[in-house]
Amino acid sequence: MAARQQMAFTLGFHIVLACLGVSFPAIALIANYRGIRHGDAEAMLLARRWAKAMAVLFAVGAVTGTLLSFELGLLWPGLFEQFGDAFGLPFGYEGLFFFTEAIFIAIYIYGFDRLSPWKHFLSGIPIVLAGIGGTFSVVAANAWMNQPGGFEIGADGRLSEVNLFGVLFNDGVWHQVPHMLLAAYIVSGFGVASVYAFAMLKGRRDRYHKVGLLIPLTVAAIAMPLQMFVGDFAARQVFDNQPVKFAAMEMVPTTSTDVPEILLGRYVDGEVEGGIRIPGLASLLSGFSTDTEIQGLDTVPPEDRPPVTIVHWAFDVMVGIGTALFGLAVWFGFVWWRKRRIPNTDWFLRAVAVSGIAAVVATWAGWVVTEVGRQPWVVYGYLRTEDAVTSQGGLWYWFAGIVGIYTLLGVTAVVVLRRMARRWREEAAVGSPYGPDVHDEKTPEGAS
């Protein structure tokens, strides 16, 4: 139990930094592009400052990611003993993308005052591409655990043949990778925008803060509708390929048609208690007809079912928050389409201010659905979690140490970022690296 809880804690911590590491550079590059292309001094200033924040978050993420790598081998010896030749392949490629990202982050930050504007901008593009490649590698490994493929099992029950492309491009990759990549851009988009929305609520409604809100919010608003589409596609893939997980997500006790959509509620002794029922909606969403049959939890023994209530609630939280963020994106998009400006009400800014943490909670909930919903399997249909996890004693002490280290890292990162923000606010006049001083810049189109 300690090993599983430690893994959940470290993954929950690291996934936030991973999202920022994957997508924050792209947001900074958009500001950088606007700064060069349109001579926008505030956008260029934001790019420079976001790059510094990006470096701090990358450094913390590198530490937590390295610890996570050690944990995989130490806490899950059964997984690597039996499936290491297949499961380890994507992680090898992730290492290459990680080092590529680290190298070009250093070049990008170092090059602000040393390269020509466009050469400097181009030096940031490999960071974005490496983030996408790293996401593909890590999520491909997780997708393989959900829908394993690309290998043969020998007569001795061990791997006898591994197909690299079969592992990397397993059937789960096609929905899990875009779902996670979009989640990363949504977390960073709403997360960065929420910082500037909070500042604007405190009265800092100058152009610098409006541009700081506009760029990441636009990224999130574009990603959100795509995520709704991809999320629906992903749910249908789970319906087809992991019916027990899907039954837990929708809390379906017995196989039937015209299955209602149940919001909240509990699963107790094979029965659903409480909750709000919408007749026929689960069948309709699954197969575009209320006659669609959904496999129930009763088709497998109790020991082969995941913790149903946890998975169901996590699914409800993810979908509920996702729908709310989609509504926020529509609100922003509609006002921008009609008036070419950010909605100027405090309620909109309040909604954006909480959207960052909401996006993080939705991402956590999504990973609970993915990981807890697969239980009791670590490799679906092949290896049970109890056979993969370590039986080593004394793990609670190690877990306590990990909690202490991660807490220290988190607090340090927050303190450093807050000090950076405070120093930037105190600067009376800051020059753009490639343009005129901030105070000489006129208010450009679209940011008022």
Side-chain angles (χ1 to χ4, degrees):
M1 182 58 74
R4 299 174 67 174
Q5 293 192 4
Q6 180 174 329
M7 201 72 208
F9 172 78
T10 50
L11 271 174
F13 191 101
H14 181 70
I15 196 172
V16 180
L17 294 166
C19 287
L20 292 168
V22 167
S23 51
F24 199 7
I27 294 173
L29 273 185
I30 293 171
N32 193 338
Y33 175 84
R34 181 173 175 83
I36 300 173
R37 185 72 177 81
H38 300 284
D40 188 332
E42 276 91 351
M44 186 57 75
L45 184 59
L46 285 163
R48 175 186 282 269
R49 290 177 173 177
W50 286 346
K52 292 177 180 176
M54 184 174 76
V56 172
L57 295 170
F58 182 84
V60 177
V63 175
T64 59
T66 301
L67 289 171
L68 194 56
S69 300
F70 283 115
E71 283 183 357
L72 277 173
L74 294 171
L75 297 179
W76 304 95
L79 172 61
F80 281 88
E81 179 183 1
Q82 188 163 346
F83 289 104
D85 289 345
F87 181 71
L89 284 173
F91 283 105
Y93 290 103
E94 196 276 339
L96 295 176
F97 287 119
F98 169 77
F99 286 115
T100 300
E101 188 174 4
I103 291 168
F104 279 94
I105 282 178
I107 293 173
Y108 181 72
I109 294 174
Y110 182 78
F112 256 111
D113 296 317
R114 295 170 177 83
L115 297 175
S116 66
W118 284 113
K119 285 182 179 177
H120 173 249
F121 171 80
L122 292 175
S123 73
I125 292 178
I127 305 172
V128 179
L129 298 178
I132 295 172
T135 301
F136 174 85
S137 302
V138 172
V139 180
N142 184 268
W144 179 86
M145 295 164 74
N146 285 313
Q147 294 182 241
F151 63 90
E152 299 289 340
I153 299 292
D156 59 354
R158 305 180 68 85
L159 285 181
S160 62
E161 185 177 343
V162 176
N163 181 312
L164 170 62
F165 291 100
V167 171
L168 287 177
F169 299 99
N170 61 79
D171 291 340
V173 156
W174 309 109
H175 64 273
Q176 278 199 228
V177 169
H179 199 38
M180 186 64 235
L181 196 57
L182 285 167
Y185 277 81
I186 289 167
V187 166
S188 289
F190 282 121
V192 177
S194 68
V195 173
Y196 292 89
F198 185 75
M200 290 174 70
L201 284 170
K202 297 186 74 172
R204 303 186 196 110
R205 302 200 179 195
D206 52 89
R207 185 177 181 278
Y208 171 81
H209 287 87
K210 289 178 180 176
V211 175
L213 183 145
L214 178 62
I215 292 174
L217 184 59
T218 301
V219 171
I222 293 172
M224 206 57 237
L226 298 175
Q227 184 69 306
M228 298 295 281
F229 173 78
V230 171
D232 179 71
F233 173 68
R236 295 181 198 285
Q237 291 300 306
V238 174
F239 171 72
D240 290 333
N241 299 291
Q242 294 180 279
V244 178
K245 177 190 285 187
F246 189 82
M249 290 160 56
E250 296 288 4
M251 210 155 63
V252 182
T254 58
T255 302
S256 58
T257 59
D258 198 20
V259 177
E261 185 73 37
I262 301 175
L263 306 179
L264 305 178
R266 294 188 305 154
Y267 181 80
V268 181
D269 298 330
E271 301 289 337
V272 176
E273 295 184 353
I276 302 170
R277 295 169 183 260
I278 305 175
L281 185 58
S283 286
L284 181 64
L285 293 175
S286 302
F288 303 109
S289 169
T290 56
D291 293 332
T292 302
E293 182 178 273
I294 299 180
Q295 180 177 324
L297 292 158
D298 62 336
T299 56
V300 296
E303 62 269 22
D304 286 348
R305 301 171 191 167
V308 177
T309 302
I310 293 175
V311 177
H312 175 69
W313 275 59
F315 183 64
D316 280 2
V317 168
M318 177 185 67
V319 174
I321 292 177
T323 304
L325 294 178
F326 175 71
L328 182 61
V330 170
W331 185 0
F332 165 66
F334 180 77
V335 174
W336 184 265
W337 172 54
R338 295 300 301 271
K339 301 181 179 179
R340 282 292 186 271
R341 64 168 174 77
I342 301 168
N344 56 5
T345 70
D346 282 352
W347 281 111
F348 178 79
L349 293 177
R350 290 187 187 106
V352 177
V354 301
S355 65
I357 187 63
V360 170
V361 172
T363 302
W364 282 335
W367 273 101
V368 169
V369 173
T370 301
E371 300 304 299
V372 180
R374 191 177 60 243
Q375 300 307 311
W377 304 97
V378 67
V379 179
Y380 191 70
Y382 287 93
L383 181 64
R384 287 179 174 273
T385 302
E386 61 187 7
D387 298 324
V389 72
T390 181
S391 57
Q392 181 68 39
L395 289 178
W396 289 109
Y397 299 105
W398 184 19
F399 186 15
I402 288 292
V403 171
I405 292 172
Y406 275 46
T407 301
L408 180 62
L409 285 171
V411 171
T412 302
V414 170
V415 169
V416 170
L417 291 173
R418 285 179 62 85
R419 285 186 176 179
M420 289 166 64
R422 187 182 305 119
R423 188 178 71 247
W424 292 336
R425 286 198 301 270
E426 291 172 351
E427 290 174 354
V430 179
S432 163
Y434 311 126
D437 287 344
V438 172
H439 298 290
D440 294 337
E441 192 72 5
K442 65 180 180 181
T443 299
E445 177 185 356
S448 60

